[in-house]
Amino acid sequence: IVLRALDQMGRSDLARIGCDYLAPIIFSGGFGPESDNPGEGLWALSEHALFTGDAEWARRILPDLDKRVEWLERMLQAEETIFRPADMRTVWGHYQLGSSIVCLPHEGNHIHGRMDWHSPDFYINCWACAGLRSASKAAEMAGDARRAEKWSRMAETLDKAIAEELLDGYGNERDSCVAPYPCGIPGGEEEKLRGLFNRWYDENRLTPEGLRKPQQLWTYFEAAQIHNAVLLGERDRAWACLDGFLSDERWMGMSLFIEGEWNAMEMLPFGTGKYGRGWLQKGAHGANMPHNWTASEALLLLRDMFVREDGDRLSLCSGVPKSWLKPGARFGAENLPTGLGRVSFECAVDEDGNVNITFDEGGEIPYQLDLSN
């Protein structure tokens, strides 16, 4: 997510440094070799290649993509639990039972995985499918038709399995932050996904009065869930949380996002005394600050509200609320990087409530102004 945010904020130079570091590291979870790692790595590396259009770099990392696909194949076919030491376990993780479990024996045609000490299989398999789909496109760009075709077939098969075997079990905070962003809509079941998402969101993100219920610990989940509300056309639900999320008093005084219980995490250099040791402090519940995962989720959410790629065109302003469409209002983006080129545009609402757009992309990029719910 951080690497994706760097690309989309115009710092592909920094994203390349991160991708080069990530490429040979298959499993990087602090809890152990978590099942979502190979799919996430495939997605991060492949999406960077696609965003930059760098076919030579894509060809160079194909062996690293291959290794991740091989792990996905092993997990999809696992007849018994697979174990492997992880590359980046925390110190305490080395002493935890189960911290070397990659996955459990497969169920149906999907991975029966393990991450964060539980098995959120919808989340894990969505990442695997997204990684395979992106890797197929990257291989095609690199001129490797064999890999592209194989990985595309694997993605199609897994996508079908997710829709048929896992979608009905949708219902936790991870499920609600993985589809349609960033992993797509399983099996094309958009209406079904929207219904499941709305039910979860209304029960967990909103009060009976329709007001925000803040995510108390894992703030990146709330940012991604708001993002998915936008992409599913649920603008009212998204904005019921977004205003409060962006101005939450727990972090705005320091202009950064947090993870974990307030005042029980590493908050240096803000002078928190005995809590200054973060994860190493007995009883602490939080990680280092600032929390770049949450910051990146928030950046990607705000970016997609104004500009997002939709196939071979751009969708503009799909997250803009009706309350902005008042005479005299102006909003837009300037020199924003996209996978189709940099764009600038401004929307102006005239005295009759009509929205007039000035679009300057430095070339011919198809777009659609999407201001309706």
Side-chain angles (χ1 to χ4, degrees), residues 303-316:
R303 188 260 195 192
D304 275 8
M305 286 175 54
F306 290 95
V307 180
R308 62 181 174 85
E309 295 83 354
D310 183 11
D312 58 359
R313 69 177 182 178
L314 296 177
S315 175
L316 307 181

Side-chain angles (χ1 to χ4, degrees), residues 50-362:
L50 294 167
F51 191 86
T52 60
D54 191 337
E56 181 180 350
W57 186 80
R59 282 190 289 271
R60 181 160 63 83
I61 65 162
L62 282 176
D64 297 303
L65 302 185
D66 258 334
K67 292 175 184 177
R68 289 172 166 83
V69 173
E70 289 169 4
W71 270 106
L72 293 179
E73 290 176 314
R74 287 186 63 187
M75 291 191 287
L76 284 165
Q77 300 167 13
E79 298 295 335
E80 57 186 23
T81 301
I82 298 176
F83 296 89
R84 178 192 185 276
D87 301 297
M88 300 175 69
R89 277 181 297 178
T90 58
V91 173
W92 63 268
H94 284 269
Y95 302 98
Q96 302 296 313
L97 292 174
S99 66
S100 293
I101 294 176
V102 175
C103 72
L104 304 169
H106 77 95
E107 296 183 353
N109 296 299
H110 65 267
I111 297 165
H112 184 28
R114 173 206 159 278
M115 63 172 302
D116 280 10
W117 313 114
H118 66 135
S119 296
D121 282 350
F122 181 82
Y123 180 89
I124 289 166
N125 284 270
C126 280
W127 270 117
C129 187
L132 288 165
R133 193 179 291 119
S134 295
S136 174
K137 295 176 183 177
E140 182 178 10
M141 184 178 72
D144 193 319
R146 180 189 63 82
R147 284 187 173 97
E149 183 179 356
K150 175 187 174 183
W151 296 348
S152 178
R153 287 198 310 269
M154 289 180 65
E156 290 176 7
T157 300
L158 184 54
D159 182 62
K160 181 180 179 182
I162 294 168
E164 293 179 353
E165 300 171 6
L166 295 172
L167 187 55
D168 285 338
Y170 179 104
N172 64 54
E173 60 189 5
R174 290 191 181 277
D175 295 347
S176 52
C177 71
V178 75
Y181 161 82
C183 296
I185 298 173
E189 296 277 4
E190 183 172 354
E191 288 304 315
K192 184 173 183 178
L193 179 66
R194 180 181 291 108
L196 292 166
F197 175 86
N198 287 345
R199 183 180 65 186
W200 186 92
Y201 197 91
D202 291 350
E203 292 175 355
N204 294 275
R205 285 277 72 85
L206 302 176
T207 68
E209 297 76 30
L211 303 176
R212 176 191 180 222
K213 285 199 294 190
Q215 167 59 251
Q216 295 299 321
L217 298 177
W218 321 123
T219 53
Y220 38 80
F221 287 153
E222 185 174 0
Q225 288 151 2
I226 295 171
H227 196 162
N228 277 322
V230 169
L231 296 185
L232 288 168
E234 300 295 335
R235 262 180 264 213
D236 290 343
R237 284 182 167 88
W239 278 93
C241 292
L242 181 57
D243 274 329
F245 178 80
L246 293 177
S247 60
D248 196 307
E249 63 182 8
R250 291 177 295 169
W251 51 70
M252 282 302 102
M254 295 175 286
S255 297
L256 49 81
F257 296 99
I258 66 170
E259 176 187 18
E261 187 175 318
W262 178 250
N263 208 33
M265 63 197 71
E266 183 168 344
M267 296 181 65
L268 298 177
F270 303 106
T272 58
K274 66 179 182 178
Y275 293 113
R277 295 176 63 220
W279 282 112
L280 301 180
Q281 173 68 38
K282 183 178 180 180
H285 299 286
N288 298 334
M289 291 178 60
H291 203 272
N292 290 331
W293 182 0
T294 304
S296 298
E297 292 282 13
L299 186 149
L300 293 169
L301 156 64
L302 294 172
R303 188 260 195 192
D304 275 8
M305 286 175 54
F306 290 95
V307 180
R308 62 181 174 85
E309 295 83 354
D310 183 11
D312 58 359
R313 69 177 182 178
L314 296 177
S315 175
L316 307 181
C317 301
S318 60
V320 169
K322 291 180 179 179
S323 60
W324 287 18
L325 305 181
K326 298 178 180 179
R330 307 176 81 87
F331 49 86
E334 183 175 351
N335 197 29
L336 190 69
T338 77
L340 301 176
R342 287 182 177 267
V343 299
S344 298
F345 74 94
E346 182 180 84
C347 291
V349 185
D350 66 22
E351 59 183 13
D352 296 320
N354 300 312
V355 179
N356 301 304
I357 182 170
T358 303
F359 186 78
D360 178 16
E361 78 291 353

